[in-house]
């Protein structure tokens, strides 16, 4: 009797292997051969589940985004306004090993996204969702009288997201200069400056 293979489970194993390689060695090290070896399969097995390496990488990026979104749903449950905004922004900076890995994975995809329309589309879609969420939380905070409303809230959202991206990269590149404590203080300070 032929062995029954769970295709979604096998795809998940390959994506998890790709993620581990990217986290450990960077996106350039995530070759199909390395991914297959990491997953414990032959290189040919990957072609049964993915069209090409880009599809594997795209799946790894989307899986990372889903993990972050699941964690955020839990963290934001019951929070609104500035309290929710603070949780959201701090969750998006590398304050611990898990988030440092996620940030490194994300940054690794930035350059590749500029030459891959599929990756760029995912990056833009996910960034738009995050921007919408930050803007919505700012509106909620404004309606509750928690923040000043003398500036366009979409501009404020863009500034906060640029701060998060920039500080995240600095944390990865210069960890002795941008410590976790300093990073948290800088993000929290920017939120506090919004208060009414």
């Amino acid at each position: 009797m032929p062995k029954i293979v769970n295709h979604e489970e096998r795809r998940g194993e390959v994506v998890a292997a790709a993620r581990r390689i990217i986290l450990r060695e960077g996106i350039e090290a995530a070759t199909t051969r390395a991914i297959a070896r990491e997953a414990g399969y032959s290189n040919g097995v990957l072609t049964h589940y993915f069209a090409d390496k880009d599809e594997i990488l795209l799946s790894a990026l989307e899986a990372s985004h889903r993990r972050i979104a699941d964690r955020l749903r839990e963290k934001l449950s019951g929070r609104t306004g500035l309290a929710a905004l603070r949780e959201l922004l701090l969750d998006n900076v590398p304050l611990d090993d898990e988030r440092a890995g996620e940030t490194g994975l994300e940054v690794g995809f930035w350059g590749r996204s500029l030459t891959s329309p599929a990756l760029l589309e995912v990056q833009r879609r996910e960034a738009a969702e995050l921007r919408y969420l930050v803007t919505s939380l700012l509106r909620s905070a404004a309606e509750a009288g928690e923040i000043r409303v003398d500036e366009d809230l979409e501009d404020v959202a863009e500034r906060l997201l640029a701060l998060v991206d920039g500080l995240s990269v600095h944390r990865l590149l210069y960890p002795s200069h941008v410590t976790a404590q300093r990073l948290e203080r800088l993000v929290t300070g920017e939120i506090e400056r919004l208060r009414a």
Side-chain angles (χ1 to χ4, degrees):
M1 188 165 176
K3 183 180 177 184
I4 297 174
V5 176
N6 182 328
H7 292 279
E8 283 308 307
E9 185 177 307
R10 181 81 43 99
R11 279 180 61 91
E13 290 169 358
V14 172
V15 167
R19 183 177 189 275
R20 286 191 305 272
I21 291 169
I22 295 167
L23 291 175
R24 190 174 61 235
E25 302 170 48
I27 196 166
E28 288 77 22
T31 63
T32 52
R33 180 168 297 176
I35 293 167
R37 188 173 46 248
E38 179 81 17
Y41 300 124
S42 69
N43 210 25
V45 169
L46 271 58
T47 61
H48 293 295
Y49 303 101
F50 297 93
D52 55 22
K53 177 178 145 178
D54 279 349
E55 186 182 354
I56 298 170
L57 295 178
L58 180 62
S59 296
L61 179 62
E62 290 175 325
S64 180
H65 288 169
R66 279 193 305 276
R67 287 169 55 113
I68 294 166
D70 291 345
R71 187 177 65 230
L72 272 174
R73 264 192 291 285
E74 187 177 312
K75 283 186 170 187
L76 298 182
S77 178
R79 290 188 168 92
T80 60
L82 280 187
L85 181 63
R86 181 181 187 281
E87 285 298 320
L88 173 70
L89 295 179
L90 288 176
D91 192 73
N92 274 273
V93 293
L95 293 175
D96 56 32
D97 289 343
E98 179 181 12
R99 289 177 284 176
E102 291 167 351
T103 301
L105 183 138
E106 191 71 30
V107 169
F109 274 98
W110 287 353
R112 191 169 182 91
S113 294
L114 296 176
T115 59
S116 168
L119 285 174
L120 185 58
E121 192 271 322
V122 169
Q123 291 286 40
R124 287 180 172 167
R125 183 184 67 230
E126 298 289 337
E129 289 176 13
L130 182 58
R131 188 176 299 108
Y132 174 80
L133 181 54
V134 170
T135 304
S136 297
L137 292 174
L138 285 166
R139 282 198 182 94
S140 169
E143 289 166 5
E146 293 181 298
I147 64 170
R148 299 183 314 274
V149 287
D150 55 352
E151 187 179 357
D152 182 285
L153 294 180
E154 289 185 12
D155 287 350
V156 175
E158 201 63 42
R159 187 176 69 240
L160 290 172
L161 290 169
L163 177 75
V164 162
D165 286 346
L167 287 174
S168 294
V169 171
H170 280 226
R171 171 82 178 122
L172 294 181
L173 292 175
Y174 320 114
S176 62
H177 182 69
V178 182
T179 63
Q181 296 79 12
R182 186 176 197 191
L183 178 55
E184 185 170 355
R185 186 178 74 245
L186 290 168
V187 171
T188 302
E190 193 63 27
I191 296 166
E192 288 303 312
R193 276 189 276 290
L194 298 172
R195 284 198 184 275

